[in-house]
Amino acid sequence: MEPTNEPHIGQIVRVNRGRDSGKYAVIIGVVDQRYVWIADGGKRKFDEPKKKNLIHLELLPAISSEVADSLRETGRVTNGKLRFALTQAVNHLSHDAQEKGE
């Protein structure tokens, strides 16, 4: 999937500013062109997401279809599903980085 400047539900992001700098999260809601709601299923649960300015996030090309589908169908997603999506995406990104380094 091509990188984009538009945030999407289920998209994996890396936090660049603030207390959670360097950590990964999933977009679970889009407020407007400037702000999104993020959660990671661990410290930042689905029921207590963080509102973040997009300029403080790096939008990664990975989008979790499981998270997006769950939110579209029920309006909710489990914290376990968020953690699983992040683990899969981070493992995939680090695997791609290792292949490029070789």
Side-chain angles (χ1 to χ4, degrees):
M1 184 161 274
E2 289 297 313
T4 177
N5 293 335
E6 293 268 327
H8 297 285
I9 301 287
Q11 188 166 12
I12 310 299
V13 297
R14 184 178 9 234
V15 180
N16 291 331
R17 296 275 192 278
R19 182 176 293 170
D20 296 333
S21 181
K23 294 187 179 162
Y24 294 89
V26 182
I27 295 176
I28 60 168
V30 178
V31 178
D32 55 29
Q33 293 180 342
R34 193 168 172 188
Y35 291 98
V36 294
W37 292 102
I38 62 170
D40 64 10
K43 179 182 160 237
R44 185 67 63 192
K45 305 268 193 231
F46 173 79
D47 291 329
E48 296 177 7
K50 174 75 175 164
K51 185 177 180 183
K52 271 311 242 188
N53 190 323
L54 284 171
I55 63 173
H56 295 161
L57 298 174
E58 177 185 349
L59 298 177
L60 301 175
I63 295 180
S64 170
S65 59
E66 294 91 3
V67 171
D69 291 344
S70 180
L71 284 166
R72 194 176 314 110
E73 293 168 9
T74 66
R76 296 188 56 79
V77 66
T78 64
N79 291 312
K81 198 173 280 192
L82 289 171
R83 289 190 302 270
F84 178 76
L86 284 172
T87 302
Q88 294 290 99
V90 171
N91 287 344
H92 184 73
L93 290 168
S94 64
H95 182 262
D96 286 354
Q98 286 178 350
E99 283 183 352
K100 288 180 182 176
E102 292 181 356

